[in-house]
Amino acid sequence: MSFSGDTKSTLAQETIDKNCCLTACLAGMLHFSPVTDGNVLTFKTESKEVSSFFSSLLTTTAAITAETKRVGSAYKTDKSFRNGYSYMRPN
């Protein structure tokens, strides 16, 4: 695994207690890694720990349950939104 991958896996294993920090982590992950296809938000990574961390952040901070699965050499966390969704990136 690369240095970047090792760093992401290590950070995903940290214990975060404050809600503001959990929200900041989720916002950062959404800002840099979303893949959208219609009404589906997909987060892709090579690290199982990072994908699981993303899924748990969605559940903890937004009460959204997402599915994580392995696809080839990557892990994907998917969430389908029946009525669409909006995500605004900061300027």
Side-chain angles (χ1 to χ4, degrees):
M1 190 179 292
S2 67
F3 174 76
S4 174
D6 288 341
T7 302
K8 289 175 188 175
S9 291
T10 300
L11 289 172
Q13 295 173 14
E14 290 293 316
T15 301
I16 303 171
D17 296 323
K18 294 183 179 181
N19 286 337
C20 58
C21 296
L22 291 169
T23 302
C25 284
L26 179 59
M29 293 175 91
L30 285 171
H31 183 72
F32 290 107
S33 300
V35 176
T36 57
D37 180 20
N39 293 335
V40 178
L41 172 69
T42 301
F43 179 82
K44 286 183 173 181
T45 180
E46 294 177 355
S47 169
K48 182 177 181 179
E49 294 86 7
V50 174
S51 190
S52 295
F53 181 60
F54 178 74
S55 181
S56 70
L57 284 174
L58 281 175
T59 302
T60 303
T61 62
I64 296 172
T65 304
E67 180 182 340
T68 300
K69 58 188 169 188
R70 186 174 178 116
V71 178
S73 63
Y75 291 88
K76 284 177 42 176
T77 302
D78 291 331
K79 176 58 185 172
S80 177
F81 294 90
R82 192 175 324 165
N83 297 323
Y85 70 96
S86 63
Y87 172 68
M88 294 177 28
R89 292 182 182 220
N91 293 332

